[in-house]
Amino acid sequence: MDDYDVVVIGGGVAGLTAGLFSARCGRSTLVLESLGPGGTLLNCEHIEDFPAFPAGVAGFELGPLLQEQAASEGAAFRGEHAQHLERRDGGWLVGADSGGFLARAVVVATGSRPRRLEVPGEKEFEGKGISNCASCDGPLFRDRAVAVVGGGDSGLVEALELVKLGIQVTVLEREQALSGQHTYRRRVLENSAIAVRHHAVVEEILGDGTVGAIRTRDLHTQEVAELVVSGVFVYTGREPNTEFLRGRLSLGEGGHIPTDIEMRTELEGVFAAGDVRAKSAGQAVAAAGDGATAALAAHRYLGA
């Protein structure tokens, strides 16, 4: 069984940055990521707020760049999914697809996944008109109408990507105002191909084989209406990927991992970084800072 000073679980921005800084500290470092370099970031067509990229950068470009930099410093990579974590010989055993890896310290950077709507029709039409990735599935809806559920950063960014394909977009936001960054809100509100409906929630997804419409409800008037769409892009928040840690450490509200300012968890030698941790900013640049902080804290923990 291979052993390392540090095993980083997750290869998004937080995990790759942790791998980079850990390797630069001279620690034998392994990064586990089943989705490829960048993790879910690979689905992002355009990231505008990551420093040093004034014209923006695609997630599928940023991820491999971060991995290349970490690998050049000596970090190793395995395309595996972490399944459990257990104490072993004063360190940790990270159970994975191929068996497991021994680590003196662990950085958990497993990121998050899109939250489901939990409405009738969602499971039935998953992959048949329901999506969480405009860059992946947007071309399938060219010159048609879709709904984007959620008015935060992710929803607004994806709405702006979809209209580039000639798609008519309706953004559904349950609150009085869109919650995304000012720049994204301005662009959405100025775009005539995007309609915004406030106080709107999805009650049911309808169709015959594929999505054909959604039933919505106005939270103020309680009026129920149908909106004819060919696709539904869901961005109503994210849930942390921490199932493999349940029973191993105490998880905060929503399943996030509580940490201190140095990214230390309640478990000795285990750190957490990125939007898997409690009170994360949920931004790529913040995830990079978390990853660096966690790696440096792990280095100090390991000592000479």
Side-chain angles (χ1 to χ4, degrees):
M1 186 178 296
D2 295 337
D3 63 298
Y4 297 86
D5 291 330
V6 179
V7 170
V8 180
I9 307 175
V13 172
L16 293 173
T17 305
L20 167 64
F21 275 77
S22 179
R24 284 181 60 86
C25 288
R27 301 296 182 180
S28 58
T29 303
L30 173 67
V31 179
L32 299 178
E33 174 54 69
S34 60
L35 297 179
T40 56
L41 193 72
L42 294 170
N43 294 332
C44 296
E45 182 73 25
H46 195 67
I47 302 169
E48 291 189 359
D49 49 5
F50 200 87
F53 294 96
V57 61
F60 52 78
E61 294 175 350
L62 181 61
L65 284 173
L66 288 169
Q67 176 170 308
E68 179 182 353
Q69 189 175 7
S72 71
E73 296 291 345
F77 295 85
R78 295 286 292 268
E80 299 191 36
H81 177 72
Q83 299 175 351
H84 59 88
L85 182 68
E86 63 182 72
R87 200 72 166 146
R88 180 72 62 86
D89 300 329
W92 294 95
L93 170 65
V94 181
D97 298 336
S98 65
F101 305 93
L102 293 174
R104 296 173 61 202
V106 174
V107 176
V108 179
T110 45
S112 59
R113 63 188 181 278
R115 183 177 293 124
R116 298 175 62 88
L117 292 173
E118 303 294 347
V119 299
E122 184 175 26
K123 291 183 178 179
E124 178 184 353
F125 295 111
E126 192 167 322
K128 301 176 182 179
I130 298 177
S131 175
N132 306 108
C133 179
S135 60
C136 309
D137 300 325
L140 300 174
F141 302 95
R142 194 181 299 271
D143 300 321
R144 298 159 82 182
V146 304
V148 169
V149 186
D153 282 353
S154 295
L156 300 186
V157 168
E158 299 292 70
L160 291 166
E161 289 298 323
L162 289 167
V163 294
K164 294 177 182 178
L165 300 172
I167 298 171
Q168 181 67 45
V169 176
T170 299
V171 175
L172 303 178
E173 168 57 54
R174 66 182 298 125
E175 304 297 339
Q176 172 63 34
L178 300 173
S179 59
Q181 295 179 35
H182 170 76
T183 299
Y184 299 142
R185 297 200 309 269
R186 175 179 54 79
R187 292 178 187 172
V188 163
L189 295 174
E190 290 176 352
N191 195 309
S192 60
I194 302 176
V196 178
R197 291 177 54 182
H198 297 287
H199 311 299
V201 296
V202 177
E203 296 270 276
E204 185 176 3
I205 300 172
L206 310 168
D208 183 10
T210 60
V211 171
I214 56 175
R215 182 169 292 122
T216 66
R217 178 168 57 89
D218 188 298
L219 293 175
H220 273 190
T221 67
Q222 302 305 314
E223 178 183 358
V224 175
E226 285 191 11
L227 178 66
V228 177
V229 293
S230 299
V232 182
F233 289 79
V234 182
Y235 304 101
T236 53
R238 303 185 67 85
E239 298 177 337
N241 296 316
T242 52
E243 288 79 6
F244 74 105
L245 295 173
R246 292 192 182 279
R248 172 56 60 186
L249 56 71
S250 300
L251 300 176
E253 184 179 356
H256 292 85
I257 303 173
T259 67
D260 65 11
I261 195 171
E262 294 189 351
M263 308 299 136
R264 292 177 296 198
T265 73
E266 67 180 12
L267 300 178
E268 182 181 355
V270 178
F271 306 80
D275 56 0
V276 72
R277 74 176 185 90
K279 299 183 180 180
S280 165
Q283 300 290 327
V285 62
D290 281 4
T293 299
L296 294 174
H299 173 64
R300 290 190 293 271
Y301 165 77
L302 294 174

